[in-house]
Amino acid sequence: MKKQAVLTQSKLGLAIALALSGSIAYAQESDAQATSDNTIEEVVTTGTRLQGSAAAVVEERKAQAFVADILGAEQISRTGDSDAAAALRRVTGLTLVDGKFIYVRGLGERYSSTQLNGASVPSPDPTRNVIPLDMFPASIIESMSVQKSYSPDMPANFGGGNVDIRTVSIPTDEVFDISVGTGWNTNLSDDGLSYSGGDDDWMGKDDGTRALSAEMLSALARYQETINTANIASSDGISTSEAAAINRQLATSLNTQNEVNNKSLSPDIKGAATYGNAYDLGSDMTFGFLAGLDYDNSWSNREETEKVLGIEAGETTVNQESQSRVTTQTVELSGMLNFGLKLGDYHRVETSTIFLRNTADRVEQGVVETPNTIDEESLSYRDTDIRYEQRELLTNQIRGSHYFPQFWGFALDWQYADSRASRDAPGEVFYRQINDQDLGEGIGNLAFQQTRTATTLQYQKLEDDAQDWRVDGELPLYLADMEILLKGGGQLSKKARSSYSRRFALSTERVANEELSNVGYNDLFSDTNLADEDFGFALFGAPTATDPNYLAAQQIEAGYGLADITVNENWRVSGGLRWEQYTQVAAQLDLSNMTIIGDAAEAGRIEDDVYGSIAMTYQLNDEMQLRFGYGSTVVRPDLRELTEVIFVDPLTNFKVRGNSDLMTTDIDNFDVRWEWYLPAGENYSVAMFYKDLANPIEAVEAKGTDSDRVITFLNGQSGEVYGLEFEFLKDLTSLTNGLFVSGNLTLSDSEISIANTGNVELTNNTRRMTGHSKYVTNLQLGYDSLNGEHSASLIYNVAGERIAFAGVRVGETGIDDAFEQPFHSLDLVYTYYPDFNSNVKLKVQNMLGDDVEIEQNGRLIQTRSVGTGISLEYSYSF
């Protein structure tokens, strides 16, 4: 059953929204009283499924003063996308990167901001400011708005665009929906990888086996974060032998049972339930609520290859090469609880509590050739990398809309949001063994090395808290042949982030070689061996200056005013100004004494400025309009990017280092769009855009080792992005009833100029921006049977090659930029409606079986198999 919002923000006046919702409610009541012969009703309902799934949100887009694209819940359901990130790649000019982040008009995720019901949300990602959009399941989304031209009522931190995720609201009557489903990927036919403690995490929460023990936490406080025999002896004033015994005891408190084994992988499991209702409390008062729960337990199993290029004698060579298998168990758990209260026709208050948990348990194991082994016969390494990551977001929102007809139609909207995002990685494990076979020859005899880092265990914790206050007021005025809507308001946003990381290593420098050969991980690092004085183990753990330990905070105070003026029903002009004061501090911590590393006075910055925009819409006729827009905006460095700490990016596996000298990027945005809306729901649009960037921030490769990539951030001198966007929806009933086609095409280009520094020497100082694709294409062929029993969509998506990372110079010779190749995604979604209340959905994804590939200097340097996914889901509405 379709959910109608009890609370609607007053964007063009609450009275209009109330009138619309009233007519909808009346139509539903009339339908309920219609003839009991519901055959005609079903034909009418399903006959408009084309409009419902692909064109229901067209009217909202048409009414927007600023250029925006709207994606509705029905459209998301039709394409079978399971989360916000996957769904947004269908929007014109948007590309999906790493399955989590959206690039708008070729600009990286840093240039795209995200809001949840109009409020800012914190991010649990350690290397990015924006929240990973794969955390939002499709089941909680009512619609998503992608605003591509800037308006003063939005934060000035606006580059490519702003994504506002609107969650489902309160129903007008009782609703109870449930769904269950399963899925399978062709890559799951091969055994996956698992390890002790990784099999029972079906709730997506660590059971405590991975986390640091109370004994170790106490020791870290006692010994000022440095764990080794010498520091223990010095701190406690005891002998070296007594300190060594304490050191060995602390080693046994770590979870060292991480033997990797093969495992048959199970099909995916998913389920969701939603229940809500509305109650008439009398005295013109209505109360409603909506509760929802969503669960998804899935597996991915893939093969990966990687090469690191270098220069030798002026020629490109391979310095490192690896082949590995990666198995990831992902558990997604989300809950939602909304309450709404309607007082008369003019006052509404609503609360939303949303909890999202996304857990990934990842095991990677493979053979690697390093500069030490690549020229040696019958010698390589086998690396094992275990990463458990738990991301959570909890947000509480309360908002209200009020309309005062006695005060000339003044409308007031307000909102408060309190959110916390966290990332817990309680025990990342890495170990390397010598393999007496070359790459590609399989696994032979294995042996651990006599080294201080025979195995490393890392523990990371990140928390990001945000508070957001906002108030908006509207006043309509009518002067002769002009309609004027005055709007103004203010916003206060606060964010605080803390990041802590601890790394420990077990040394085998004193362990006999015969004990290290042909032995399993669990046997070697058993508590018995760790506690045995004669065996030779030692534990080391001390914070370094590059560890990701820091505190950061940000505050933005803003006020704005704008006017929306309609003249003679042909011209509409909207524009205004926004003032923002931006305060940010980011300080790296030395955990050994809890002091700030560097000059504390240099850790903060304050900026304030005024940002403006203007948008004009000319109504050519009842069906056609032309838009023009300009906006001045900024993109600011992330909290983490201003510290010199080093992170390992969980997506790319690259080391990432901040840059305290980063400056804010200033952007001038220009838009022109022609739109044609036909009565039957068909529509066409053509848009042109241009963005001029001063001091654009770009991720580049810094100088590292032959086998290691280190990514850092630099300001370029200038940058620009420009392009064309085409979008259409065409009814094909002339060919056969119920058939339609929709799609979009973006053609664009970009250029950035970056000067070399002492730490960064780029091959191409002028090039395309990282992550920018010259073309993005979406096509959908849809079918709705007239009897309402069948619906199908064939969906195609591809983005042109884009720079994954920029090439660097080695001496006088440069390595080219690395380009991610186009990924041709072809999906099929078929839905069967056996009756009015239920449906069965079959989804086949990546039917072409494409893989992710990155090329550099004519070589394939990275590949990742994706496989073809098949899922089946049953839904029922009571």
Side-chain angles (χ1 to χ4, degrees):
M1 181 175 292
K2 182 172 177 62
K3 308 175 184 68
Q4 300 295 337
V6 163
L7 175 72
T8 302
Q9 278 201 324
S10 176
K11 298 300 181 188
L12 298 175
L14 189 57
I16 298 175
L18 289 171
L20 287 174
S21 63
S23 62
I24 293 172
Y26 176 79
Q28 289 180 330
E29 184 178 349
S30 298
D31 289 345
Q33 296 172 352
T35 175
S36 59
D37 182 3
N38 60 9
T39 303
I40 296 178
E41 289 186 12
E42 289 188 8
V43 171
V44 171
T45 302
T46 57
T48 61
R49 187 170 289 134
L50 163 60
Q51 287 77 20
S53 64
V57 294
V58 166
E59 284 302 317
E60 181 181 354
R61 186 178 78 167
K62 183 179 179 181
Q64 294 285 325
F66 297 84
V67 175
D69 289 314
I70 314 296
L71 193 64
E74 291 295 330
Q75 290 172 281
I76 298 172
S77 175
R78 180 166 202 113
T79 56
D81 296 314
S82 60
D83 56 61
L88 284 168
R89 66 186 169 129
R90 315 293 184 187
V91 176
T92 309
L94 272 61
T95 52
L96 178 63
V97 179
D98 296 320
K100 302 173 184 288
F101 302 102
I102 288 296
Y103 283 30
V104 181
R105 290 178 165 176
L107 290 168
E109 75 274 359
R110 74 164 59 255
Y111 293 97
S112 303
S113 53
T114 301
Q115 294 179 309
L116 182 64
N117 296 319
S120 61
V121 286
S123 172
D125 191 283
T127 59
R128 293 167 178 83
N129 185 38
V130 296
I131 185 168
L133 292 175
D134 64 322
M135 290 193 67
F136 295 93
S139 61
I140 73 169
I141 299 173
E142 182 69 29
S143 65
M144 291 187 286
S145 170
V146 183
Q147 186 162 321
K148 296 177 179 178
S149 66
Y150 177 67
S151 57
D153 57 344
M154 303 185 66
N157 194 71
F158 181 104
N162 179 81
V163 177
D164 186 17
I165 301 173
R166 305 152 171 180
T167 58
V168 293
S169 190
I170 310 302
T172 55
D173 52 13
E174 186 176 28
V175 57
F176 183 23
D177 299 330
I178 61 170
S179 66
V180 292
T182 185
W184 184 82
N185 188 287
T186 54
N187 285 348
L188 301 186
S189 58
D190 299 324
D191 282 346
L193 301 175
S194 187
Y195 64 101
S196 329
D199 297 329
D200 301 321
D201 302 312
W202 64 276
M203 284 298 294
K205 190 172 181 63
D206 179 43
D207 58 6
T209 59
R210 298 176 179 86
L212 285 173
S213 64
E215 182 180 1
M216 178 59 77
L217 293 174
S218 176
L220 289 171
R222 180 181 180 87
Y223 302 120
Q224 296 185 317
E225 301 292 330
T226 300
I227 304 296
N228 59 51
T229 298
N231 189 60
I232 292 172
S234 174
S235 299
D236 288 350
I238 57 178
S239 67
T240 300
S241 61
E242 291 172 318
I246 296 174
N247 180 278
R248 292 192 299 273
Q249 183 61 37
L250 289 173
T252 63
S253 74
L254 298 174
N255 175 29
T256 55
Q257 297 302 287
N258 296 295
E259 189 88 53
V260 171
N261 51 72
N262 289 327
K263 175 183 179 178
S264 296
L265 301 178
S266 304
D268 301 342
I269 300 173
K270 61 167 55 180
T274 302
Y275 181 75
N277 207 344
Y279 305 93
D280 186 358
L281 303 181
S283 301
D284 210 10
M285 183 183 300
T286 303
F287 171 78
F289 78 94
L290 184 71
L293 187 66
D294 190 290
Y295 175 80
D296 191 338
N297 188 347
S298 60
W299 293 87
S300 69
N301 193 35
R302 62 178 184 263
E303 303 291 332
E304 293 189 359
T305 67
E306 183 176 4
K307 296 177 182 177
V308 178
L309 301 186
I311 299 293
E312 185 175 326
E315 299 291 333
T316 304
T317 61
V318 177
N319 281 341
Q320 178 166 305
E321 185 174 2
S322 65
Q323 297 176 354
S324 61
R325 182 159 44 127
V326 182
T327 301
T328 305
Q329 180 188 12
T330 302
V331 178
E332 299 176 2
L333 180 66
S334 64
M336 176 186 62
L337 182 61
N338 295 348
F339 295 101
L341 184 65
K342 173 186 171 184
L343 303 174
D345 291 332
Y346 301 139
H347 303 282
R348 305 174 184 223
V349 177
E350 185 174 4
T351 68
S352 296
T353 296
I354 299 171
F355 172 76
L356 306 174
R357 178 190 294 159
N358 184 297
T359 300
D361 195 2
R362 177 183 181 274
V363 185
E364 179 177 6
Q365 196 167 62
V367 178
V368 57
E369 294 272 16
T370 73
N372 295 328
T373 68
I374 203 162
D375 294 325
E376 300 289 336
E377 289 192 13
S378 301
L379 182 62
S380 62
Y381 296 111
R382 185 175 77 162
D383 287 355
T384 301
D385 193 354
I386 300 172
R387 299 183 188 177
Y388 180 92
E389 176 187 54
Q390 179 181 312
R391 300 177 298 165
E392 290 186 354
L393 173 67
L394 176 63
T395 179
N396 294 287
Q397 299 179 339
I398 180 170
R399 50 191 177 272
S401 289
H402 310 276
Y403 176 62
F404 303 95
Q406 67 272 31
F407 297 116
W408 307 284
F410 177 72
L412 179 70
D413 294 337
W414 55 270
Q415 178 170 262
Y416 168 71
D418 185 283
S419 307
R420 165 169 287 195
S422 65
R423 176 183 182 268
D424 189 17
E428 297 181 356
V429 181
F430 177 83
Y431 54 93
R432 168 169 286 180
Q433 297 163 283
I434 299 173
N435 179 32
D436 64 359
Q437 300 289 326
D438 284 328
L439 182 69
E441 296 181 357
I443 301 299
N445 295 308
L446 296 174
F448 288 88
Q449 302 174 80
Q450 285 183 320
T451 176
R452 178 164 290 195
T453 55
T455 183
T456 59
L457 299 95
Q458 185 164 352
Y459 305 81
Q460 296 186 16
K461 182 71 174 179
L462 181 146
E463 290 187 352
D464 210 354
D465 295 288
Q467 293 179 312
D468 195 275
W469 293 263
R470 178 169 183 157
V471 61
D472 301 276
E474 294 179 353
L475 181 65
L477 300 175
Y478 303 95
L479 303 175
D481 58 352
M482 290 194 304
E483 296 180 9
I484 304 173
L485 181 68
L486 300 179
K487 185 173 181 179
Q491 186 173 7
L492 173 62
S493 298
K494 295 182 178 181
K495 181 188 291 187
R497 172 178 283 194
S498 61
S499 173
Y500 298 99
S501 176
R502 287 310 321 263
R503 182 187 294 267
F504 300 93
L506 286 169
S507 169
T508 53
E509 293 169 302
R510 293 179 53 246
V511 177
N513 268 324
E514 58 268 21
E515 301 287 356
L516 301 176
S517 300
N518 295 314
V519 60
Y521 183 91
N522 286 1
D523 292 334
L524 176 61
F525 297 101
S526 66
D527 286 351
T528 300
N529 289 343
L530 292 174
D532 187 350
E533 177 182 2
D534 297 327
F535 199 85
F537 272 122
L539 175 65
F540 289 89
T544 67
T546 57
D547 284 337
N549 298 304
Y550 69 95
L551 297 175
Q554 181 187 90
Q555 178 169 299
I556 298 177
E557 302 162 79
Y560 76 93
L562 67 85
D564 188 358
I565 305 171
T566 301
V567 182
N568 294 326
E569 298 184 353
N570 290 327
W571 278 100
R572 181 179 181 183
V573 180
S574 302
L577 298 173
R578 181 183 185 90
W579 169 83
E580 278 193 0
Q581 179 170 284
Y582 154 77
T583 306
Q584 180 165 293
V585 60
Q588 189 177 359
L589 292 178
D590 183 349
L591 287 186
S592 61
N593 52 23
M594 293 304 293
T595 59
I596 294 176
I597 298 175
D599 187 354
E602 298 295 325
R605 59 176 63 188
I606 299 178
E607 301 174 2
D608 73 283
D609 209 337
V610 175
Y611 308 92
S613 75
I614 185 169
M616 294 182 291
T617 302
Y618 178 65
Q619 198 75 32
L620 298 169
N621 53 47
D622 291 340
E623 299 176 347
M624 207 176 293
Q625 61 186 23
L626 188 62
R627 299 178 182 272
F628 307 89
Y630 166 77
S632 63
T633 61
V634 294
V635 169
R636 303 180 178 109
D638 179 23
L639 293 171
R640 190 209 60 78
E641 291 172 353
L642 294 173
T643 65
E644 300 287 341
V645 300
I646 290 182
F647 278 99
V648 175
D649 190 318
L651 297 177
T652 64
N653 207 30
F654 298 157
K655 292 182 178 178
V656 182
R657 184 178 62 234
N659 177 5
S660 58
D661 295 326
L662 283 179
M663 296 182 293
T664 295
T665 301
D666 295 306
I667 307 175
D668 288 315
N669 308 269
F670 301 88
D671 288 275
V672 178
R673 186 156 85 173
W674 169 82
E675 300 169 351
W676 186 17
Y677 301 97
L678 297 174
E682 294 182 343
N683 62 85
Y684 305 88
S685 70
V686 180
M688 293 185 294
F689 63 89
Y690 176 80
K691 296 177 182 291
D692 183 54
L693 296 85
N695 304 314
I697 302 173
E698 187 84 342
V700 297
E701 186 175 354
K703 291 181 179 179
T705 66
D706 289 340
S707 60
D708 212 3
R709 286 194 180 97
V710 178
I711 304 298
T712 189
F713 306 96
L714 284 181
N715 285 110
Q717 293 100 326
S718 62
E720 60 178 356
V721 183
Y722 49 90
L724 293 170
E725 295 176 341
F726 306 88
E727 186 174 4
F728 69 94
L729 168 64
K730 172 63 177 174
D731 192 341
L732 299 179
T733 52
S734 58
L735 299 179
T736 184
N737 288 328
L739 192 67
F740 72 96
V741 62
S742 64
N744 54 69
L745 170 67
T746 301
L747 302 174
S748 63
D749 206 351
S750 65
E751 183 175 280
I752 188 171
S753 297
I754 304 180
N756 289 337
T757 68
N759 195 42
V760 176
E761 293 187 14
L762 300 174
T763 300
N764 301 308
N765 298 104
T766 300
R767 55 169 173 77
R768 257 195 287 162
M769 298 185 72
T770 299
H772 179 258
S773 296
K774 286 191 173 183
Y775 67 88
V776 181
T777 301
N778 286 286
L779 289 173
Q780 178 181 178
L781 180 64
Y783 172 74
D784 296 316
S785 66
L786 289 185
N787 63 8
E789 294 181 357
H790 308 278
S791 171
S793 291
L794 187 65
I795 310 117
Y796 174 73
N797 170 268
V798 66
E801 68 172 16
R802 55 196 178 208
I803 297 177
F805 54 88
V808 295
R809 286 190 169 275
V810 180
E812 296 299 319
T813 307
I815 303 174
D816 290 341
D817 301 327
F819 287 90
E820 182 176 342
Q821 300 304 296
F823 182 89
H824 297 269
S825 170
L826 183 64
D827 303 337
L828 173 66
V829 181
Y830 166 73
T831 306
Y832 170 57
Y833 302 86
D835 53 52
F836 187 76
N837 299 94
S838 61
N839 67 77
V840 179
K841 180 177 294 183
L842 174 67
K843 181 168 56 177
V844 184
Q845 294 181 297
N846 193 27
M847 296 171 61
L848 301 177
D850 250 18
D851 295 333
V852 176
E853 297 180 342
I854 298 178
E855 291 185 359
Q856 189 176 29
N857 279 72
R859 299 173 185 256
L860 196 60
I861 65 164
Q862 284 189 23
T863 65
R864 184 173 74 245
S865 64
V866 177
T868 299
I870 304 171
S871 65
L872 186 66
E873 184 176 342
Y874 173 77
S875 301
Y876 190 88
S877 297
F878 292 88

